[in-house]
Amino acid sequence: MQSITWYIKRIQMMSLSEITWRIISLSAAWVERIRVQFNWVPKVQFVKGYQVSSDFMPGFSVFKGQLEEHKPEWKTPLLAKADMVIEHRLSYFDLQDKHLETPINWHKDHSANIYSNTGHILDVNYRDFKVNGDCKLVWEPNRHHQMVVLARAYQVTGDIKYAQAVVEQITDWLNQNPYGKGMNWRSPLELAIRLINWVWTIDLIKDSGLFVGDFKARLLESVFLHCRDVSSKFSQGTSANNHLVGEAAGVYIAASYFSMLQDAAIWKNNSKRVLEREIVAQSFADGCTKEHAFSYQFFVLQFYLFTGLAGKWAGDDFSESYWDTLKRLSEFVVRIAEGGEYYPMLGDQDDGYVLDLGDHVHDINALTDVVGYFYDDSIFASTQACESSFWLFNNKQEKINQGVLADSGLNSAAFEDSGYYLLQGGKASENNQASILMDVAELGYTAIAAHGHADALSCVVRINQHDLFVDTGTYDYFSFPEWRNHFRKTQAHNTLEIDGLDQSVMTGPFMWESHAQASCIEWSPTDSGGKIVAAHDGYQRLASPVTHQRDVELDITQQQIIITDHVKAQAHHQVAIYFHFSECCQDIRIEEGICYLTLGDNEIVITLPEQVKATLVQGVPNDDAQIPSIGWLSRGYHQKVPITTLVLNAGINRDSEFVTSIVWK
């Protein structure tokens, strides 16, 4: 339960229309509670002439492929995964091959061993970890990604056991999850994702002859209730972020596929209007999404892509503007990722994805291969065909982009609308490649900036495709509140901190009350690198105000990066500069003002500012899981590994300058 102060601040960030909507929504929820209590919930209705016993005629088909073109290297891991799903064993977040019990316990946080409330959804506080566990750990298996795995295995093998497992597990889910009760009816976004996975699952197993009788009737009834519930609760105001996109996508895809439902046409048209509007409203012209959380860009990309495909397949294509925006969103991801092995983790990351079609959600090659079916642009050249493209396009659509990925070197790019700058150049094959991603962006989307981090002027640095300085990730939302706060703090990023304070002020796990504003002062890229200068005003709120300005210069001919931090101050302050080394960095040591380390085949020499006290801090496991510290990297939800963090401390009384020089050999 949040504090009264939190609720007051939350309300202050809402518009009058949002407050009105929330009051109306709460009133509707109480009416719905009465309906559930007395079993007055509306029953499924079909379009004129359709009966539940009629032949199933969906609005589109998700797959018409040639199964002989499914590659052997895809089949083995698919069947291994599907066989584990049959045994009720799933891998997600920090859990590997976790047995979800027999029958599956759909209401349990299987990591913390906590059972969530199965009462009416108004009684389920998904933020209360002690009572309900981590809602994400409960929700993840209930998104039913694993059903698509089973359905794909059925298609590839023709073995009926995989289709039977789908029917058994979804039937069990329907038995344990009556409408309006429990965690799994609590979030419209979760319902929407489940709908999309049901569509793909049912379509892939429909030729098995098992989508009939009571199972078919019950699933159609639940789809009706899912669509009805989600479409009546589309997020608004400060909550209208990726949740709204996902909600509308789920309704659109389900309503288009289950077109025999009486209200399907209305749901489809309404959700399509939302998606057409939001893909523009929630995106910058340069292709970045406005949440400023790079992982969520993949998430909404999948929603937009699968929805657009469903529209094409159902003869209800989206607008040219929609597809143009989708291209820019894809271009942004590819450009941001091109300098390194890993996709940078700016902002929140919770491993969310929509469908399991065989490729990891952050697989850049898979993304370029998929979007290459729509856009003939050299940036979407892929190294090899991916399994996702097989399931989406085989025997349906020819690939437009036939380009081959070439080692043409990196070029700098400015994403001025969103506030991200890539200062980069060189080729890994020539040992002179460097990529610096500098964050000069706003904190996040809407007044609460829910998924933002206090990371103004932070730099992600990559040398010859290897991470040198990393964004340390997110790790947690609900289970470990201290860690949730830690990974959002300024000290968890490669930037400068004043007096141990964050640049922006957090007021809850998904809300900020004070936002640092950053701006670019100079952007001067050259063929050999160039320079960027930026500043932010986050510490102007102090009694004795401070301004932080950072200059970054790259010269690939000298294989050198110079980071100069200017601190403008007129009183005493404590300064701390943090550089978080990736897990790839080895043999890190400091000798006489110089930090040495090995990164891949390169020796890195970092000359430190003269006036600082330099310390290397490495994460150390602690018996108390609630005690956070620097020196940790999280590349996945509830997963973290120790790394080394370079901390530079100094006391200042006036304007000061700190120069850090990085050379690779």
Side-chain angles (χ1 to χ4, degrees):
M1 188 75 175
Q2 303 291 343
S3 67
I4 296 298
T5 301
W6 181 89
Y7 282 104
I8 293 172
K9 291 180 178 179
R10 186 70 175 85
I11 292 171
Q12 289 174 338
M13 294 181 179
M14 299 179 192
S15 65
L16 179 59
S17 61
E18 181 179 355
I19 294 172
T20 302
W21 166 69
R22 290 184 181 276
I23 293 172
I24 293 172
S25 298
L26 183 59
S27 301
W30 277 99
V31 172
E32 195 73 3
R33 179 175 189 155
I34 295 172
R35 287 197 182 108
V36 170
Q37 183 176 353
F38 291 98
N39 198 25
W40 293 341
V41 177
K43 300 299 181 182
V44 61
Q45 298 292 320
F46 299 100
V47 296
K48 187 176 181 179
Y50 186 88
Q51 302 292 327
V52 71
S53 58
S54 301
D55 290 340
F56 182 62
M57 302 283 290
F60 61 86
S61 176
V62 304
F63 180 68
K64 296 180 180 179
Q66 302 292 328
L67 288 169
E68 60 270 18
E69 295 185 19
H70 189 270
K71 297 183 178 182
E73 60 264 31
W74 298 337
K75 183 176 180 179
T76 299
L78 168 60
L79 298 188
K81 192 171 185 177
D83 289 340
M84 296 298 285
V85 175
I86 288 178
E87 296 176 4
H88 302 172
R89 295 185 181 276
L90 299 186
S91 297
Y92 54 99
F93 305 144
D94 60 325
L95 303 179
Q96 291 297 313
D97 297 335
K98 181 68 176 180
H99 189 249
L100 304 190
E101 303 178 10
T102 301
I104 294 173
N105 190 325
W106 298 104
H107 302 283
K108 186 177 179 181
D109 173 346
H110 290 272
S111 179
N113 199 33
I114 298 175
Y115 298 84
S116 62
N117 188 343
T118 56
H120 188 272
I121 58 174
L122 286 177
D123 298 328
V124 179
N125 181 359
Y126 67 89
R127 291 188 178 93
D128 193 334
F129 171 77
K130 292 182 179 179
V131 173
N132 293 306
D134 190 319
C135 60
K136 282 190 60 61
L137 270 295
V138 178
W139 284 334
E140 190 68 14
N142 288 278
R143 290 182 169 186
H144 285 185
H145 298 123
Q146 69 272 24
M147 304 302 172
V148 179
V149 174
L150 291 171
R152 290 193 289 122
Y154 165 72
Q155 278 289 322
V156 169
T157 65
D159 192 331
I160 196 68
K161 73 176 183 179
Y162 295 111
Q164 289 172 333
V166 165
V167 175
E168 292 168 2
Q169 293 190 20
I170 293 182
T171 298
D172 183 58
W173 188 92
L174 294 171
N175 291 339
Q176 290 190 43
N177 291 273
Y179 170 71
K181 294 184 178 181
M183 183 79 83
N184 298 318
W185 286 95
R186 182 66 177 80
S187 167
L189 176 62
E190 300 304 313
L191 275 64
I193 296 173
R194 188 158 54 243
L195 279 172
I196 297 171
N197 281 275
W198 281 357
V199 166
W200 255 259
T201 299
I202 296 305
D203 202 66
L204 289 171
I205 70 162
K206 67 179 186 293
D207 66 359
S208 69
L210 297 180
F211 190 54
V212 293
D214 184 61
F215 174 62
K216 175 185 173 185
R218 293 188 67 191
L219 187 75
L220 290 176
E221 182 85 31
S222 191
V223 168
F224 163 76
L225 291 172
H226 274 67
C227 288
R228 173 180 173 272
D229 194 66
V230 178
S231 62
S232 69
K233 296 177 179 177
F234 282 160
S235 297
Q236 295 187 28
T238 52
S239 296
N241 50 19
N242 68 84
H243 282 241
L244 176 57
V245 174
E247 292 157 6
V251 171
Y252 180 84
I253 291 171
S256 299
Y257 185 78
F258 297 103
S259 54
M260 68 289 301
L261 298 177
Q262 187 178 68
D263 296 323
I266 296 173
W267 292 332
K268 184 177 74 169
N269 292 335
N270 289 343
S271 55
K272 185 178 183 181
R273 282 196 295 270
V274 171
L275 288 160
E276 288 273 14
R277 181 189 71 227
E278 293 303 314
I279 195 173
V280 175
Q282 294 195 34
S283 305
F284 291 104
D286 60 23
C288 181
T289 53
K290 291 184 178 178
E291 286 193 276
H292 295 284
F294 284 12
S295 178
Y296 279 89
Q297 179 131 356
F298 271 100
F299 196 36
V300 296
L301 254 177
Q302 286 195 330
F303 283 126
Y304 292 136
L305 174 66
F306 297 142
T307 304
L309 283 171
K312 283 181 179 291
W313 297 337
D316 182 38
D317 202 357
F318 281 68
S319 68
E320 184 178 348
S321 172
Y322 183 95
W323 288 103
D324 285 345
T325 305
L326 184 62
K327 179 183 180 183
R328 291 196 299 273
L329 295 176
S330 303
E331 287 175 338
F332 179 86
V333 169
V334 175
R335 289 305 307 272
I336 291 297
E338 65 183 356
E341 178 182 1
Y342 297 102
Y343 185 64
M345 300 184 292
L346 275 67
D348 272 347
Q349 175 170 304
D350 72 351
D351 300 354
Y353 64 100
V354 182
L355 284 170
D356 184 343
L357 298 179
D359 299 295
H360 190 276
V361 65
H362 292 165
D363 186 328
I364 301 299
N365 175 74
L367 172 65
T368 55
D369 189 52
V370 168
V371 298
Y373 279 80
F374 300 103
Y375 310 114
D376 188 14
D377 190 310
S378 60
I379 196 171
F380 299 131
S382 57
T383 56
Q384 59 185 359
C386 72
E387 189 177 3
S388 296
S389 291
F390 169 81
W391 292 108
L392 294 173
F393 304 115
N394 190 270
N395 211 35
K396 272 190 171 186
Q397 183 173 332
E398 292 295 325
K399 188 174 183 180
I400 296 174
N401 192 319
Q402 299 297 329
V404 178
L405 198 65
D407 183 15
S408 56
L410 299 181
N411 295 304
S412 295
F415 301 94
E416 296 179 0
D417 298 308
S418 57
Y420 297 101
Y421 293 81
L422 270 175
L423 190 63
Q424 56 186 18
K427 296 182 179 181
S429 60
E430 297 178 4
N431 198 43
N432 67 350
Q433 188 181 86
S435 175
I436 306 157
L437 172 62
M438 189 166 179
D439 185 342
V440 194
E442 61 188 357
L443 182 63
Y445 190 48
T446 77
I448 63 174
H451 292 298
H453 288 192
D455 55 3
L457 310 192
S458 181
C459 293
V460 172
V461 178
R462 296 165 286 185
I463 303 294
N464 292 320
Q465 294 291 304
H466 296 293
D467 284 355
L468 175 62
F469 299 152
V470 292
D471 186 294
T472 58
T474 299
Y475 181 62
D476 179 69
Y477 281 172
F478 301 103
S479 298
F480 309 108
E482 286 82 1
W483 280 105
R484 168 61 177 154
N485 289 341
H486 166 75
F487 277 99
R488 296 190 296 159
K489 293 175 70 64
T490 296
Q491 66 177 223
H493 301 86
N494 302 305
T495 189
L496 181 145
E497 175 193 71
I498 297 294
D499 296 338
L501 301 173
D502 294 321
Q503 307 157 337
S504 297
V505 180
M506 63 182 79
T507 192
F510 295 94
M511 186 165 69
W512 298 80
E513 62 178 287
S514 173
H515 300 195
Q517 301 294 324
S519 60
C520 181
I521 298 170
E522 178 186 346
W523 169 244
S524 305
T526 67
D527 291 342
S528 60
K531 182 178 182 179
I532 179 173
V533 179
H536 75 82
D537 65 358
Y539 294 117
Q540 287 293 305
R541 72 180 191 273
L542 303 183
S544 175
V546 174
T547 298
H548 174 210
Q549 176 182 307
R550 171 166 279 186
D551 307 353
V552 180
E553 299 176 75
L554 168 64
D555 185 348
I556 61 171
T557 64
Q558 300 296 317
Q559 297 186 179
Q560 183 178 48
I561 299 167
I562 298 176
I563 300 175
T564 305
D565 290 298
H566 304 271
V567 182
K568 299 179 182 179
Q570 296 180 343
H572 180 76
H573 292 282
Q574 290 295 321
V575 172
I577 305 172
Y578 299 90
F579 294 112
H580 300 275
F581 295 120
S582 79
E583 71 275 48
C584 303
C585 297
Q586 304 293 324
D587 303 322
I588 306 169
R589 65 193 188 280
I590 295 175
E591 296 176 1
E592 298 181 354
I594 298 177
C595 181
Y596 300 91
L597 62 97
T598 302
L599 179 62
D601 294 329
N602 293 113
E603 180 185 358
I604 309 295
V605 179
I606 305 176
T607 303
L608 307 177
E610 293 181 357
Q611 68 271 45
V612 301
K613 176 184 178 182
T615 308
L616 295 175
V617 179
Q618 187 171 37
V620 178
N622 193 295
D623 291 337
D624 188 344
Q626 292 288 2
I627 299 179
S629 67
I630 57 175
W632 290 95
L633 170 67
S634 174
R635 293 201 184 272
Y637 195 77
H638 278 195
Q639 302 169 57
K640 67 181 190 295
V641 296
I643 57 171
T644 299
T645 297
L646 172 62
V647 185
L648 309 178
N649 290 108
I652 62 170
N653 295 293
R654 58 184 181 277
D655 291 356
S656 302
E657 181 178 282
F658 302 90
V659 180
T660 305
S661 171
I662 305 160
V663 174
W664 68 98
K665 303 176 182 178

